[in-house]
Amino acid sequence: MLDLRFIAQFKAKGKYKKTYENVKASYLNRTRWAVSAYYFGMGLCFATWASRIPDIKTALDLGSAELGSILFAVPAGQLVMMIFSGKLVTRFGSHRILLFSILMYAFSLTNLGLAQNSWQLALGLFVFGLFGNLSNISVNTQGVYAEGLFKRTIMSSFHGMWSLAGFTGALVGFGMLSLKMSTYVHFLIVAAVVLILVSFNFKFLIKAKETIVAQKKKGFQKPDRSLILLGIIGFCSMASEGVMFDWSGVYFKDVIKAPGALVILGYTSFMIMMASGRFFGDGLIQKFGRKKVMQISGVTISLGLFTAVLFPFIIPATIAFMFVGLGVSTIIPTLYSLAGKHPTIPTGEALTAVSSVSFLGFLMGPPVIGYIAELSSLRFSFAFIGIFGVLIALMVSRIKAIQ
């Protein structure tokens, strides 16, 4: 049986808080908005790229299979950077690494608009993935620090800003296409916006040093068991999330038989509820506690996926995907919040460990759906992923110390 009482030892580090203990509440709120702006900038970069994928596919005359192979360059870059990101954040400070990485993330976005052939696009996406992961670890480290300055959970709202940026990026992309704006000019404008966000908010980031120095050991080091267990919960959540990103449109087209533009209804409903859940999630956690919210979230994921499988009609399926979005909304922010408070591992490295295991779910979930659908059906594959929500609820139920 798994012993999940390790959560009891996850207490917020306190030394960096001394610098801020006498500052006004208005300054703390300004710091919170600064960190939120960086989450928004990250989400805006990613959504901007995603909004022009069809346009780039046409411009470079790429087939679906070729595009699928090229798109794998993003997670490949992210996986490579995972080896270094936690150590870089620990050594140089999350505020410095965040400034550097998000500027390079925006710059690498503009380079994607200059690609003239498939190998240039693949190389650009690999670099985009590198700085995307480095930005992710550093911004979530800042999120953990910022949450430590408040007497309540605020991590979900940070991730809500990322989701809000996803909507904004999609709307801006639609507008740019309507204006027949070139991809490069579109990306350049967004990069300029991110630069402005960085310029106005950098001085309000938290300049914190790690209070715990990890012991150096020679040879192979056994991975921290507590972080791996958190990562497994994240794996189940991100697998469900990845399936929604990649397969919700296909499900609505092939299974629900949604007409015309309504094929995006499932994905849209999922995104709306995921963003909403993240903005309301902190309040729910404050009122009911992390344990209960995560248990309900796991059950909600399964309820949504099983409903879509049992009732493959447009209205119940749309509502079902809304449940999935609500279910996944708070799990990853909560896991990052817990991991960032690890008592013996620096925040950046702890976040890297959890996000690495979690991210495997995001990578493996969509392909598994395809393989199962090939052997059986798309409905059966969605039912299989639906089991992950139940697993989340069961694992969280065994964490007796979590409140």
Side-chain angles (χ1 to χ4, degrees), residues 37-46 48 98-99 101-107 109-110 135 165 187-202:
Y38 278 79
Y39 275 92
F40 187 88
M42 274 193 63
L44 187 61
C45 284
F46 183 81
T48 298
L98 180 54
L99 174 64
S101 60
I102 200 167
L103 287 175
M104 293 304 298
Y105 193 45
F107 177 70
L109 170 69
T110 64
S135 297
F187 290 177
L188 202 60
I189 292 173
V190 170
V193 171
V194 173
L195 177 61
I196 293 172
L197 288 174
V198 168
S199 301
F200 279 94
N201 291 285
F202 175 71

Side-chain angles (χ1 to χ4, degrees), residues 313-328:
F313 310 105
I314 193 163
I315 293 178
T318 299
I319 296 173
F321 281 22
M322 292 173 71
F323 276 119
V324 179
L326 189 62
V328 302

Side-chain angles (χ1 to χ4, degrees), residues 151-167:
K151 294 182 180 179
R152 62 185 187 277
T153 58
I154 59 173
M155 182 63 82
S156 289
S157 66
F158 288 143
H159 286 254
M161 291 299 291
W162 191 94
S163 299
L164 179 63
F167 286 114

Side-chain angles (χ1 to χ4, degrees), residues 5 8 20 46 76 112 115 141 151 194 210 249 325 334:
R5 292 174 295 176
Y20 295 86
F46 183 81
L112 298 177
T141 300
K151 294 182 180 179
V194 173
E210 295 292 347
T334 302

